[in-house]
Amino acid sequence: MGKVKMTAVALVLIHAAWAVAALVVHQAVLPTPWAVYAYLPQLARRQLQWHLFFSLYRLGWSMVIATILGVVIGIACVRLPRVGRVLDPLIYLTYPLPKIALLPVVMLLFGLGDGSKIILITLIIVFQVIIGVRDAVRQIPASVYQGVAVMGASRWQTLWYVTWPASLAGLFSALRIALGSAIATLFFTEVYGTEYGIGYLIMDEWNRLDYLGMYGGIVVLAALAFILFAALGALEAWSSRWRRSA
Amino acid sequence: MGKVKMTAVALVLIHAAWAVAALVVHQAVLPTPWAVYAYLPQLARRQLQWHLFFSLYRLGWSMVIATILGVVIGIACVRLPRVGRVLDPLIYLTYPLPKIALLPVVMLLFGLGDGSKIILITLIIVFQVIIGVRDAVRQIPASVYQGVAVMGASRWQTLWYVTWPASLAGLFSALRIALGSAIATLFFTEVYGTEYGIGYLIMDEWNRLDYLGMYGGIVVLAALAFILFAALGALEAWSSRWRRSA
Amino acid sequence: APKESAVQSSGSAAAPKSATIRIGTMAAPDSLPLYVAQQAGYFKKHHLNVKLTAFKSPKERDAAIAGGQLDAAVSDAVALSTYVNGQLGFKSATALTGYFGIVTSADNVKSVADLKGQAIATMPRQTPTFYLDQQLAKAGLKDTDVAIKEVAAIPVRLQLVANKQAAATILPDPFLSMAKAQGLKVIAQSDPAQYQTTLLAVDRALGQNQAVMKRFYQAYDQAVKTINKHHASDYQALLTKQLGFPAKIAAAYQLPHYQAAQAVPTKTLKQAFAYAHQTGILKQAVDASDYQLQVQ
Amino acid sequence: MLTVSHLGVAYAHQQILEDVTFTVGPQEILAVLGPSGVGKTTLINAICGQQAHTGTVTLAGQEIDPQRQQLALVPQDYGLLPWLTVAANVGLPLRLRHAAANQQVMAMLEALGLTPLAKRYPAALSGGQRQRVALARAFVAQPTLLLLDEAFSALDPVVKQTAYALFDKQWQATPAPTLVVTHDWEEALVLSDRLLVLAQGHPHLMKNALADLPRAQRVHAPAYPQVLADLREAVAAQWAK
Amino acid sequence: MLTVSHLGVAYAHQQILEDVTFTVGPQEILAVLGPSGVGKTTLINAICGQQAHTGTVTLAGQEIDPQRQQLALVPQDYGLLPWLTVAANVGLPLRLRHAAANQQVMAMLEALGLTPLAKRYPAALSGGQRQRVALARAFVAQPTLLLLDEAFSALDPVVKQTAYALFDKQWQATPAPTLVVTHDWEEALVLSDRLLVLAQGHPHLMKNALADLPRAQRVHAPAYPQVLADLREAVAAQWAK
Ligand SMILES: Nc1ncnc2c1ncn2[C@@H]1O[C@H](COP(=O)(O)OP(=O)(O)OP(=O)(O)O)[C@@H](O)[C@H]1O
Ligand SMILES: Nc1ncnc2c1ncn2[C@@H]1O[C@H](COP(=O)(O)OP(=O)(O)OP(=O)(O)O)[C@@H](O)[C@H]1O
Ligand SMILES: [Mg+2]
Ligand SMILES: [Mg+2]
């Protein structure tokens, strides 16, 4: 259980750094950890479970859609070279577009509800998944394909027996990056048309200059993120058992 | 020169999609490509070069700092397992923190100038580089290290001869993702304390609901991004020549 | 997944078949009558099915307007000029009761005139800055006499002044009250009885539907009347939940005297449009009265 | 029948194989000999369609197409998929054809002494074990063309004999044109019907003087030492040119 | 002098090597024979510190430490770094010691017929060429302990003889305790002074009856066929147990 111990060490470190910073800055903008934790029960009474639920709901759908699209497009970019040669510049041209600028168009098409939020988060993270998967697939050496090609594997079989397992580690890496981005994006999607969501909660507290509440929300969010990252890690460990015997 | 041709195809496709969407939506929110291009010369007269310069300046520094930090921390996470076991949870806890919430603290510490902008962009992208590099380093099979270990390589030599080249492709993948994020982040850092930057330009036009100017800025931004991505790609191709003979 | 409205304690029951109006609100006292009318059932009484959507910043509100998701929105004079620029077809319906204050943390700044040479955190080309301009002009200063630090987010602006990284900033409520609570000095404040720049912007279709507008104004006026008979203490829930007041601030808050539905003074609107033209929002001079609806 | 005609391969301006022409009968095993780096692996790869080349390769009159013909290859580096267990690797060619695999796979693993390793991943195997897995995979496929690239090189002499015997048995049951690349003269004599000696990209065909004997008896044939010595000399002469 | 005492290795509950004890003299070459999967590679890895084990391994009286002693290993899979050219791979052990490499590397490449490949990356080499690069890298290092794991298995007979000769020459110039893992009885007889036969994790040491002859002459010795036959029998007997 060295992992648990080390996580504890990390927690202590992070709180120590926070405490020191808070004491040095000594301003309301940066409250001390104990003040924030003392405030947490109060925050919990404010329907925290629903804030969590709605954020998770939006995150979940975006991650699922972005994963599916990202895997399909990322693989297609490499395995269908003609498609890839058109998609690559398309990705580079569209990835860095300010998604915030697309807000009116997204709202026009998907309204103010969860739909537009999910689409927006997806738009932001799908490129990260695409690029991660594509680069991982690109790194698979040709020799790995040779074996199954000689055995007469079809396109789909090649995908299933080679491309997918060989790029899985890259996919998980991309999903980790995307998950972080998606969470960070909540602050920009949960500020309209909703009164629930951790992002909303934090922004709301911020707008009230209630830094205790804001940092309380951030603590909850960090805990949530940690759990999600741990889940991703467990999924990866399970799906790449074969690496363990190396 | 199939690449150039395919980029042209991609450009045609993207503009066609844009034109169709613009004609269908038929609202000022989404002007047609030709209207935007017709407006570009006007935009160019508005010190476009300085907007580009300042954005590039901020992007450049953030990318350099994030790359250095990301490579060092990402490698340390794996190659110094004790460090890694503390850093991993630290990363997962801090990555998804809303950087926007840190804005007051960052401003307090670094002011309103380029310093705080560069710090903020760096804070957002450094985690993506760390995770990308760390996951790439993690994937290097132990057997690759064995050879140089038997030859008596020191820690630094192992780093230089094995870890670095073996994780380079992962680093470039992470840098691509980070570059896109960094550019997208301009819209959130260039909205304070500056009157220059492509992000500022686009947001300013948006604030005026001047969609022609805004889309003009976006077109310039996309072109800039494309050039930066191409530069990254060229650098990667050069640094991984050895893959070509596989 | 459950719909959010199912979770909300204040979820509205199914309204009778009546005109539906989607209104975007901001977390500011300007929006209070809308919430009161909604809560007290005035809208329903006037056969209006009003859906209020809260926005945290003007940017998302304007995106929702541009995206066709709102029929009306709590907005302001300069923002209206951007709608004109963006050809969104929105016009000014009624003025709303709102106000700005200029706050400072600098000990040597006692009045607006003392701002000369000082750093002011604000977002240019928006109504607060328009207000600042006017106040500076009154004090015999030009906007070049002060150093503008562009900062979009209001809480950040307030923080900058509190940290003395800027001398002053312009704030609407509830930030104004929060600034006061932090010990910042108010050196100027607008009086909603005379100076109104916040307004309800409505889209073309709604603006032309005079019957609905009329019922809307009736509901609005009823809400205003009700509010003026009450005190802030009667609206603590609304103030804290919908209007973004911290509980402590809300408790000490004094409601302004709300004005019945009335058009924004044409003069103010014209000045705002002139400001918009001068700062480049409007490409050419636009007659403000073309974007003003009569309030009967 | 495998027909290779005018086959040529070049890597980056360097011609490796040039105008290689030969046939392998439907029931024939051809041993391919040649100095390191001459192009044996390249030839095998070109035949099974994994290497761009000039000239043509046909199997039973048709252009080689792995999707329609059943090829089996033991590559020089074994070519196991690291994410599949030993059993899954061996059963793969059957699974790709949507055929039941389990029973045949288990029998084949047993025959090569791999049964206790069935659930391991390739990374946890020794070199010779990996090579045996690759052999099992090729044998289980019952191919219409069998290509072995130094496929017995990592086996100890005892296991090697077992593998030869198994190969013989499998091949007798479902004979197919077969190429056996090897550096081992004895292996060539024991397994093949004819020899293809590559020297500087050109092929030279030779008879195996022991071809008429059953494979299991050849080492014990009185002529064996002499034939071996002759072969050694003949090949060395070819390479020296 | 290499001293291995009571060495044991287990993978996931399975004991591979148990209580292995032997020494290799400062000027001795020990051939390691054993059936596939018995643990030869594991033994080599344990000796050079790349495999967790019980027991101790010392070289010249000191615990093995690659940073202070110069070890050279030719792993079964060659272990070349794909991002270094052939010349850079061969020169690596010298470079790691901050020694000038160029001249020696070029001479070694020449001796193994690799000169035209100096600037290639490993991916563009044939199997045998890769193995020769790995051999060149080990020879150039002038090690104080040399470990060869089936290091000649992918070479054709002619090149193999050259490699043997080169090995002999290098080793004579700078002799060091050496382990040669091989499946080839002849290789064992030609190269080694003594034989270590592994059977089920236990070592059995045997004399090489030809050890007193110079290596180059052993194959031509009249006793050679008989010694080979005897060895074959003795080893087979060991393995059968
Ligand atoms: N990708 C490549 N680029 C350039 N040359 C290559 C490439 N791959 C192989 N070669 C060269 O082609 C020649 C033939 O290689 P091949 O692998 O076919 O040899 P081989 O006969 O199988 O040798 P070995 O017995 O050593 O396995 C070699 O000289 C090799 O250096
Ligand atoms: N990572 C591992 N996990 C479990 N067992 C392993 C692992 N690596 C090797 N083994 C087992 O350890 C035994 C010894 O392996 P080793 O590679 O040392 O054999 P070897 O004598 O070198 O065989 P070969 O001649 O085939 O190379 C084998 O039975 C192998 O299956
Ligand atoms: Mg070969
Ligand atoms: Mg081995």
Side-chain angles (χ1 to χ4, degrees):
Chain A
M1 295 281 68
K3 220 168 165 180
V4 171
K5 223 171 83 188
M6 286 303 155
T7 306
V9 172
L11 280 172
V12 169
L13 279 180
I14 216 168
H15 283 89
W18 174 8
V20 168
L23 292 175
V24 168
V25 169
H26 196 67
Q27 293 207 7
V29 206
L30 191 59
T32 57
W34 43 93
V36 170
Y37 281 103
Y39 186 81
L40 269 188
Q42 219 169 314
L43 203 65
R45 250 172 280 133
R46 231 180 296 157
Q47 299 191 287
L48 198 54
Q49 73 281 14
W50 287 113
H51 287 298
L52 280 170
F53 171 82
F54 280 105
S55 285
L56 271 175
Y57 175 79
R58 290 163 194 150
L59 278 181
W61 274 110
S62 324
M63 286 295 287
V64 167
I65 301 173
T67 305
I68 294 174
L69 285 179
V71 167
V72 170
I73 298 177
I75 291 180
C77 273
V78 186
R79 298 294 296 161
L80 307 171
R82 276 148 181 272
V83 176
R85 253 173 301 162
V86 176
L87 278 180
D88 277 354
L90 268 182
I91 291 166
Y92 291 148
L93 284 166
T94 48
Y95 175 26
L97 289 192
K99 304 306 165 319
I100 198 171
L102 298 180
L103 202 56
V105 179
V106 170
M107 284 180 175
L108 184 69
L109 298 175
F110 303 96
L112 295 175
D114 282 337
S116 72
K117 294 186 194 2
I118 292 171
I119 297 288
L120 215 56
I121 303 178
T122 306
L123 272 178
I124 291 172
I125 62 175
V126 72
F127 290 100
Q128 309 187 333
V129 182
I130 293 176
I131 292 181
V133 170
R134 187 200 59 178
D135 289 355
V137 174
R138 217 178 247 171
Q139 272 190 69
I140 305 173
S143 58
V144 183
Y145 287 107
Q146 207 162 298
V148 294
V150 172
M151 284 182 240
S154 68
R155 225 174 229 301
W156 291 112
Q157 288 174 327
T158 307
L159 202 68
W160 176 246
Y161 284 107
V162 181
T163 312
W164 172 251
S167 57
L168 210 52
L171 170 63
F172 273 106
S173 188
L175 285 184
R176 266 190 277 271
I177 292 177
L179 178 61
S181 296
I183 296 175
T185 304
L186 288 177
F187 304 89
F188 145 65
T189 51
E190 291 188 338
V191 289
Y192 67 84
T194 182
E195 293 186 12
Y196 288 96
I198 291 285
Y200 171 85
L201 183 70
I202 295 177
M203 291 308 262
D204 191 45
E205 299 292 339
W206 189 27
N207 273 324
R208 294 161 200 261
L209 300 190
D210 183 347
Y211 289 106
L212 282 181
M214 174 174 160
Y215 276 84
I218 292 181
V219 165
V220 171
L221 181 94
L224 172 71
F226 188 77
I227 293 170
L228 292 177
F229 276 116
L232 255 190
L235 195 62
E236 178 178 21
W238 176 81
S239 67
S240 57
R241 280 150 295 162
W242 58 273
R243 274 181 207 279
R244 241 174 293 159
S245 53
Chain B
M1 295 279 68
K3 219 167 166 183
V4 171
K5 223 170 85 189
M6 286 304 156
T7 305
V9 171
L11 281 172
V12 168
L13 279 180
I14 217 168
H15 282 89
W18 174 8
V20 169
L23 292 175
V24 169
V25 169
H26 197 67
Q27 290 202 10
V29 203
L30 192 58
T32 57
W34 40 94
V36 170
Y37 282 104
Y39 186 81
L40 270 188
Q42 221 169 313
L43 202 66
R45 248 172 281 132
R46 230 181 297 154
Q47 299 190 287
L48 197 55
Q49 72 282 13
W50 286 111
H51 288 297
L52 280 169
F53 171 81
F54 279 104
S55 286
L56 272 174
Y57 175 79
R58 291 162 194 151
L59 279 180
W61 274 110
S62 325
M63 287 294 287
V64 166
I65 300 173
T67 305
I68 294 173
L69 285 179
V71 167
V72 170
I73 298 176
I75 291 180
C77 273
V78 186
R79 298 295 295 162
L80 307 171
R82 275 148 181 272
V83 176
R85 254 174 300 162
V86 176
L87 278 180
D88 276 354
L90 268 183
I91 291 167
Y92 291 149
L93 285 167
T94 47
Y95 174 27
L97 290 191
K99 303 307 164 321
I100 197 170
L102 298 180
L103 202 57
V105 178
V106 170
M107 281 185 181
L108 190 66
L109 297 175
F110 302 98
L112 291 175
D114 283 336
S116 74
K117 293 185 198 2
I118 291 171
I119 298 282
L120 214 56
I121 303 178
T122 306
L123 271 178
I124 292 173
I125 61 174
V126 73
F127 291 100
Q128 310 188 332
V129 182
I130 292 175
I131 292 181
V133 170
R134 187 202 57 179
D135 290 354
V137 174
R138 218 178 245 172
Q139 273 191 68
I140 305 174
S143 58
V144 182
Y145 286 107
Q146 206 162 299
V148 294
V150 172
M151 284 182 241
S154 68
R155 226 175 231 299
W156 290 112
Q157 288 174 328
T158 307
L159 201 70
W160 176 247
Y161 283 107
V162 180
T163 313
W164 172 251
S167 59
L168 209 52
L171 169 64
F172 274 105
S173 189
L175 286 184
R176 266 192 278 271
I177 293 177
L179 178 61
S181 296
I183 296 176
T185 304
L186 289 177
F187 303 91
F188 144 65
T189 50
E190 292 188 339
V191 290
Y192 68 83
T194 181
E195 294 186 15
Y196 288 98
I198 291 286
Y200 172 84
L201 182 70
I202 296 177
M203 291 310 257
D204 188 45
E205 299 291 337
W206 192 25
N207 280 333
R208 301 161 196 251
L209 296 192
D210 183 345
Y211 288 106
L212 282 181
M214 174 174 152
Y215 277 84
I218 292 181
V219 165
V220 171
L221 181 94
L224 172 71
F226 188 78
I227 292 170
L228 292 178
F229 276 116
L232 255 189
L235 196 61
E236 179 179 19
W238 177 81
S239 68
S240 58
R241 278 150 296 161
W242 57 273
R243 274 183 207 277
R244 242 174 292 159
S245 53
Chain C
K3 283 271 170 293
E4 265 196 37
S5 52
V7 182
Q8 282 173 1
S9 42
S10 61
S12 54
K17 180 126 178 61
S18 53
T20 297
I21 311 179
R22 300 167 300 170
I23 303 179
T25 66
M26 301 294 291
D30 319 41
S31 301
L32 183 62
L34 298 172
Y35 280 102
V36 169
Q38 176 86 319
Q39 247 183 21
Y42 302 154
F43 285 138
K44 218 179 288 168
K45 208 173 81 189
H46 290 93
H47 302 295
L48 296 171
N49 178 17
V50 170
K51 190 172 176 298
L52 299 177
T53 304
F55 288 88
K56 286 258 165 276
S57 83
K59 189 144 285 155
E60 283 84 21
R61 175 199 63 202
D62 294 347
I65 290 175
Q69 300 301 308
L70 297 176
D71 305 311
V74 173
S75 188
D76 57 63
V78 178
L80 184 68
S81 74
T82 66
Y83 305 159
V84 172
N85 195 40
Q87 302 160 28
L88 299 180
F90 270 63
K91 293 187 178 183
S92 164
T94 170
L96 299 173
T97 305
Y99 50 92
F100 299 104
I102 302 177
V103 299
T104 181
S105 59
D107 299 328
N108 55 346
V109 175
K110 303 259 173 359
S111 70
V112 176
D114 294 337
L115 288 175
K116 191 172 163 76
Q118 299 282 3
I120 302 182
T122 185
M123 195 64 200
R125 294 176 292 283
Q126 291 195 351
T127 299
T129 313
F130 166 55
Y131 170 69
L132 171 72
D133 259 31
Q134 290 183 317
Q135 294 304 307
L136 288 176
K138 252 197 225 164
L141 296 175
K142 280 183 295 192
D143 57 352
T144 45
D145 290 334
V146 295
I148 298 289
K149 283 192 173 185
E150 293 202 20
V151 178
I154 299 178
V156 176
R157 289 208 302 254
L158 174 47
Q159 205 59 53
L160 284 176
V161 175
N163 292 343
K164 300 198 188 258
Q165 283 171 295
T169 188
I170 305 94
L171 300 172
D173 246 328
F175 293 99
L176 192 54
S177 301
M178 290 188 248
K180 283 190 228 164
Q182 290 202 4
L184 300 190
K185 268 181 307 184
V186 179
I187 52 173
Q189 183 168 346
S190 66
D191 176 0
Q194 275 140 49
Y195 181 88
Q196 294 185 323
T197 48
T198 51
L199 51 83
L200 188 79
V202 299
D203 76 350
R204 191 172 288 124
L206 180 57
Q208 284 168 355
N209 193 338
Q210 300 205 347
V212 169
M213 284 309 291
K214 193 162 180 177
R215 288 187 341 239
F216 174 81
Y217 290 139
Q218 285 166 351
Y220 184 84
D221 286 348
Q222 198 174 355
V224 166
K225 228 180 262 169
T226 310
I227 296 171
N228 285 339
K229 272 188 273 179
H230 287 79
H231 297 284
S233 54
D234 302 318
Y235 298 115
Q236 288 298 306
L238 273 181
L239 285 174
T240 54
K241 183 119 182 53
Q242 315 295 353
L243 304 189
F245 278 81
K248 257 194 225 145
I249 305 279
Y253 184 57
Q254 288 245 318
L255 289 175
H257 183 77
Y258 277 85
Q259 308 290 315
Q262 57 181 289
V264 177
T266 314
K267 190 172 141 236
T268 312
L269 208 55
K270 281 197 177 213
Q271 283 173 343
F273 274 46
Y275 172 80
H277 182 43
Q278 170 203 327
T279 54
I281 298 172
L282 289 170
K283 297 280 153 56
Q284 58 254 349
V286 166
D287 185 359
S289 46
D290 290 349
Y291 294 92
Q292 190 169 31
L293 297 169
Q294 293 314 310
V295 177
Q296 312 102 340
Chain D
M1 172 115 132
L2 174 76
T3 313
V4 175
S5 48
H6 307 296
L7 184 128
V9 176
Y11 290 115
H13 314 303
Q14 203 193 345
Q15 195 75 27
I16 301 295
L17 298 174
E18 217 178 330
D19 203 24
V20 175
T21 300
F22 64 88
T23 61
V24 186
Q27 308 225 0
E28 194 182 29
I29 298 175
L30 187 73
V32 180
L33 299 171
S36 168
V38 78
K40 303 179 293 299
T41 299
T42 305
L43 174 65
I44 295 278
N45 285 344
I47 287 176
C48 62
Q50 296 304 305
Q51 172 69 55
H53 59 85
T54 57
T56 57
V57 179
T58 62
L59 181 63
Q62 300 189 308
E63 278 227 9
I64 291 263
D65 175 0
Q67 302 226 17
R68 286 189 295 133
Q69 292 148 331
Q70 188 60 33
L71 315 187
L73 166 69
V74 177
Q76 202 165 355
D77 60 0
Y78 320 143
L80 303 179
L81 295 180
W83 39 83
L84 295 186
T85 61
V86 165
N89 260 296
V90 174
L92 191 55
L94 299 177
R95 206 97 51 72
L96 291 182
R97 276 183 279 170
H98 309 288
N102 224 340
Q103 218 176 334
Q104 272 169 283
V105 169
M106 282 307 155
M108 192 59 72
L109 290 180
E110 184 63 43
L112 282 163
L114 297 169
T115 308
L117 312 178
K119 290 194 174 148
R120 288 228 198 129
Y121 290 99
L125 299 182
S126 81
Q129 288 166 343
R130 270 177 231 176
Q131 193 166 48
R132 276 179 278 161
V133 175
L135 278 170
R137 185 173 67 175
F139 292 163
V140 95
Q142 300 194 314
T144 54
L145 175 68
L146 179 57
L147 305 165
L148 306 180
D149 195 356
E150 305 189 25
F152 304 92
S153 64
L155 303 181
D156 67 85
V158 176
V159 165
K160 199 182 272 189
Q161 294 307 324
T162 322
Y164 288 164
L166 187 67
F167 166 71
D168 191 30
K169 190 176 133 216
Q170 289 294 126
W171 192 86
Q172 298 291 355
T174 53
T178 299
L179 268 80
V180 178
V181 173
T182 181
H183 283 311
D184 185 340
W185 317 112
E186 308 191 22
E187 185 168 303
L189 284 183
V190 167
L191 296 185
S192 77
D193 299 312
R194 265 195 311 160
L195 304 159
L196 177 75
V197 180
L198 281 176
Q200 272 135 45
H202 298 288
H204 304 269
L205 285 162
M206 298 167 88
K207 271 222 71 67
N208 178 352
L210 300 173
D212 297 331
L213 292 174
R215 270 179 268 279
Q217 293 171 21
R218 292 185 192 171
V219 227
H220 310 294
Y224 180 77
Q226 190 54 46
V227 172
L228 186 60
D230 288 353
L231 174 64
R232 196 169 283 171
E233 219 166 286
V235 171
Q238 283 293 355
W239 294 359
K241 271 197 280 193
Chain E
M1 171 115 133
L2 175 76
T3 313
V4 176
S5 49
H6 308 296
L7 185 128
V9 176
Y11 290 117
H13 313 303
Q14 201 194 345
Q15 194 74 28
I16 302 295
L17 298 175
E18 218 180 327
D19 203 22
V20 175
T21 300
F22 63 88
T23 59
V24 186
Q27 307 226 359
E28 193 181 28
I29 298 175
L30 187 73
V32 181
L33 298 172
S36 167
V38 78
K40 303 179 293 299
T41 300
T42 304
L43 175 65
I44 295 279
N45 285 344
I47 288 176
C48 63
Q50 297 304 304
Q51 173 68 55
H53 59 85
T54 57
T56 55
V57 180
T58 59
L59 181 63
Q62 301 191 305
E63 277 228 11
I64 291 262
D65 175 359
Q67 301 225 19
R68 283 190 296 134
Q69 292 148 331
Q70 187 62 33
L71 315 187
L73 166 70
V74 177
Q76 204 165 354
D77 60 358
Y78 321 144
L80 303 179
L81 295 180
W83 39 82
L84 294 186
T85 60
V86 164
N89 260 295
V90 173
L92 191 54
L94 299 177
R95 206 96 51 73
L96 291 182
R97 274 183 280 170
H98 309 287
N102 224 341
Q103 219 176 333
Q104 272 168 285
V105 169
M106 283 306 154
M108 193 58 71
L109 292 180
E110 184 64 42
L112 282 163
L114 296 169
T115 308
L117 311 178
K119 290 196 173 145
R120 288 227 199 130
Y121 291 99
L125 299 182
S126 82
Q129 287 166 344
R130 271 177 231 176
Q131 195 166 46
R132 276 179 278 162
V133 175
L135 278 170
R137 186 172 67 176
F139 292 163
V140 95
Q142 300 195 315
T144 53
L145 174 69
L146 179 58
L147 305 165
L148 305 181
D149 195 356
E150 304 188 27
F152 304 92
S153 64
L155 302 181
D156 67 85
V158 176
V159 166
K160 200 182 276 190
Q161 294 308 325
T162 322
Y164 288 164
L166 187 66
F167 166 71
D168 191 31
K169 190 177 135 216
Q170 288 296 126
W171 193 85
Q172 298 292 356
T174 53
T178 300
L179 268 80
V180 178
V181 173
T182 181
H183 284 312
D184 186 341
W185 317 115
E186 309 192 22
E187 186 167 303
L189 286 184
V190 167
L191 295 185
S192 76
D193 299 314
R194 264 194 313 160
L195 303 160
L196 177 77
V197 180
L198 281 176
Q200 275 134 45
H202 297 288
H204 304 269
L205 285 161
M206 298 168 89
K207 271 225 67 72
N208 177 355
L210 301 173
D212 296 333
L213 292 175
R215 271 179 265 281
Q217 293 171 23
R218 293 184 191 170
V219 229
H220 308 294
Y224 182 76
Q226 191 52 46
V227 173
L228 185 60
D230 288 352
L231 174 64
R232 197 170 283 171
E233 220 167 285
V235 171
Q238 284 292 356
W239 293 0
K241 272 197 276 192

